[in-house]
Amino acid sequence: MTTQPESGDEDGAGAVGEHGSGEPDRALVRDATVATIKQLQRGYQQDVAMAVGAVARLRREAGRPPHASPASWGLDHMEELTKRRYSELEEPASDSVIEREDTAVHLAVTLWALHQQSVRDQPMHDWHWPLGRAVRQLGAARSGAADSGVSVEEFPPTIRKRFVRIGTASDIETLGGRLRDMVTLLRAERIPLDYGRLASQLLEWQYEHRQGDVRRAWGREFHRAESAPASNDQPTDDD
């Protein structure tokens, strides 16, 4: 996947940091998430037994911290993140940074596994769909509108309330639970999500002083309606 530097991007919630400085590395988290999902997603849609089994194992880990369950040891997403962490970086991260990166990738990939469950005809990871835009499309779908350009006033109140609850989560466990509820609704309407972008936002969200930036990004995504999402992730031929 081709990516561009994220420093100064509108919705980026801060610049990409170098591990040696103790800063989180959003590119590392995003790319590990996308690489894992793209490989599994393709196999799952083709009903490849290995991919189907891996996705089922990931679903069972939804709601659990990374590495907490021995059954999760060796799952693809942590393998991919670790491989990239130690092959691409010159200096090791601190334990606190590693823990946050692990959490962001684990949460994003297990949410995708829940989102993709029993869906073979469409990929549920799609870089065109940041969280706010996906929720807006969900509100439009539940109101019977053809697209997300419909007024928010016409959305079912529960959709906006659920989105607001995501924005007001006070800890990562609560945020993960509220995102799982939303992903279940998105799956029912076959609305995808950009899980690479979400993973990088989940990493930033774990730093209290950056939570406001992430919330503002979600709000901007929601209010863009049908305009193209701002993202530095560039699609490849099989995205």
Side-chain angles (χ1 to χ4, degrees):
M1 184 178 67
T2 303
T3 59
Q4 299 294 327
E6 294 188 83
S7 118
D9 88 287
E10 177 188 3
D11 294 329
V16 174
E18 298 295 335
H19 268 209
S21 66
E23 290 292 312
D25 191 325
R26 288 188 301 135
L28 171 70
V29 162
R30 180 191 62 224
D31 293 349
T33 298
V34 170
T36 301
I37 289 176
K38 284 178 66 175
Q39 179 179 359
L40 292 176
Q41 188 167 252
R42 188 181 301 113
Y44 187 83
Q45 288 188 267
Q46 296 172 355
D47 205 26
V48 176
M50 183 179 297
V52 172
V55 172
R57 289 191 295 274
L58 285 166
R59 277 201 311 272
R60 289 194 290 270
E61 295 305 312
R64 298 175 179 172
H67 310 301
S69 166
S72 73
W73 298 348
L75 289 182
D76 290 9
H77 60 316
M78 292 292 100
E79 284 284 290
E80 183 67 27
L81 176 59
T82 301
K83 178 180 72 176
R84 289 171 178 265
R85 177 181 287 142
Y86 293 105
S87 65
E88 298 177 5
L89 301 172
E90 295 181 0
E91 297 182 61
S94 66
D95 288 346
S96 62
V97 171
I98 287 175
E99 182 176 358
R100 289 181 172 99
E101 290 171 350
D102 286 355
T103 296
V105 172
H106 180 74
L107 180 51
V109 175
T110 55
L111 283 169
W112 166 78
L114 178 63
H115 200 164
Q116 194 71 55
Q117 182 180 9
S118 301
V119 180
R120 296 292 203 280
D121 60 340
Q122 182 181 348
M124 289 293 100
H125 162 64
D126 186 329
W127 77 281
H128 295 89
W129 290 93
L131 177 63
R133 186 184 186 210
V135 173
R136 189 178 185 105
Q137 184 64 35
L138 173 65
R142 289 295 173 95
S143 65
D147 59 55
S148 62
V150 66
S151 169
V152 175
E153 297 299 323
E154 299 179 45
F155 291 180
T158 54
I159 299 300
R160 181 178 175 278
K161 287 179 181 178
R162 284 178 182 271
F163 189 43
V164 169
R165 290 182 74 243
I166 289 172
T168 59
S170 58
D171 56 66
I172 194 67
E173 291 79 14
T174 301
L175 177 61
R178 292 175 182 179
L179 285 169
R180 285 193 298 278
D181 291 341
M182 184 63 75
V183 159
T184 301
L185 298 177
L186 292 172
R187 182 183 65 202
E189 298 294 341
R190 295 297 197 271
I191 299 170
L193 199 57
D194 181 349
Y195 279 98
R197 185 174 180 82
L198 181 62
S200 68
Q201 290 174 332
L202 290 171
L203 175 62
E204 295 285 346
W205 190 95
Q206 292 175 79
Y207 294 83
E208 187 174 356
H209 66 286
R210 302 184 187 202
Q211 289 179 8
D213 294 327
V214 177
R215 292 186 182 107
R216 282 188 289 274
W218 287 340
R220 282 191 292 267
E221 294 163 5
F222 183 75
H223 287 286
R224 278 197 180 101
E226 281 298 283
S227 48
S231 175
N232 284 321
D233 289 306
Q234 300 297 316
T236 58
D237 293 339
D238 57 352
D239 269 347

